[in-house]
Amino acid sequence: RGCPLNHAIQRRVLALLYLLILYYILILTLGPSCSSLQFASVLSTMATGSTALALIVLAAFVLSMLPTSLAVTSPYVRPRSRATLSVPKDAGGQTPTQVHISTVGHDEMRVTWITEDDAPAVVEYGMTSGQYPFSATGTTTSYSYLALYRSGNIHDAVVGPLKPSTTYYYRCSSDPSREFSFRTPPASLPFTFVVVGDLGQTGWTKSTLQHIAAADYDMLLLPGDLSYADFLQPRWDSYGRLVEPLASARPWMVTEGNHEIERIPLLEPRAFKAYNARWRVPYDAGDSPSGSNLYYSFDVAGGMVHVVMLGSYAGFEAGTAQHEWLRGDLARIDRGRTPFVVALVHAPWYNSNKAHQGEGDDMRDAMEALLRAARVDAVFAGHVHAYERFTRVYGGMEDQCGPVYVTIGDGGNREGLADEYIDPQPKTSVFREASFGHGRLQVVNATHALWTWHRNDDDQPVVADQVWITSLASNPDCNNRAGAGAQA
């Protein structure tokens, strides 16, 4: 006490704290893709003299430490997008909000919800509205972000065993004010997936969700970029409220995108903090647990379809945990019992759009041979805000035993559409269009699945592209060692 040195240290600590807060505010103001020049310009208008110079130098240093995915300047000009939606909070206390479900194994469902106040992590459920003879108790967590935001109480509980193709009514935290219902997926074919990426929460998102809800389906698959919160944590809450009507009624199976990273060096060094807390996936269930919330797999339709959810932003090179897990996961598949195998990943491995060129190439180089050897039928990606379907491809060339590749990052994000393509169109690219929309994969039987892409750029769900996909397990040319191709 009274020591000048201590006061000097305190002033420096306070100055650093103020600078960190200022840095966070500027990130929120300019957005995660701001350049160091933009950052320095704003700082210079807020200070003068040597203080400004010091702040500019420090800002440039901090920005140089940011991941490249947070500082990419898009090489194209996006069309005008619709306004970002903000779904206001309409409940507090112990009332459950942001309810969503996901499958766990073949006969269980995870229910996740948030309450503002402390509440029991209990789900009560039954097959008749208002009657809940069964219950399951789960866990409660929460997280803080930059000491400026603290989440509500995030609860999840696994319910089951459940009957297939059955509607269950349920309530969370014993709250009588809100009853929800979901239908379990069928235990056999046919089975219908909705596939949509880069969803966000804009007017286009609302249109996409309305079109999805207008026709029945069994499960939604989302290959990354969910809320576009981009550090603003209340956007996660708004997103949860926006998708709740659909996500509480059918299982949503998701994987991460670059907008889920939300890592800030020194301030928030742990990536995927909000995503992992809010969207827990069944990475520890089934015969092939991955050990990571960033990649996993599961079966549907009584094992007739195997779905692999890959992580573009987890290690994927040979020798990494994800690579070794994928090798083992694919090796366990008996294609005599599982005629269809599909995979999802965020950054596309094939892409003729000028946006995000080459960003999935390293992962493709590391894993493509594994997928071909396992005769994966289709790979769905997001990231590029447009639609594109490729023919069966392997090694950059048409290959009858390679997967069909589809980019479907056009759910409705706030960044708009990527409407510039490389010309001439590659021979492997069958159909491409920069419009918002969603896709449906209906696995009809053990040999055929119908893929359709529904454009909603004109606010009407118009089928703009469709193709029948034949299971590679039924193709004799792909069922021998020579036809199956290289082993990785």
Side-chain angles (χ1 to χ4, degrees), residues 113-130:
W113 72 100
I114 295 179
T115 60
E116 188 173 288
D117 297 339
D118 292 340
V122 174
V123 175
E124 298 163 298
Y125 61 102
M127 290 178 281
T128 302
S129 177

Side-chain angles (χ1 to χ4, degrees), residues 298-309:
F298 58 94
D299 293 329
V300 298
M304 297 290 283
V305 184
H306 186 70
V307 181
V308 181
M309 308 291 279

Side-chain angles (χ1 to χ4, degrees), residues 135-158:
S135 67
T137 301
T139 60
T140 301
T141 60
S142 64
Y143 73 96
S144 59
Y145 194 84
L146 287 173
L148 300 174
Y149 171 89
R150 185 163 188 84
S151 73
N153 293 290
I154 305 171
H155 314 278
D156 81 77
V158 177

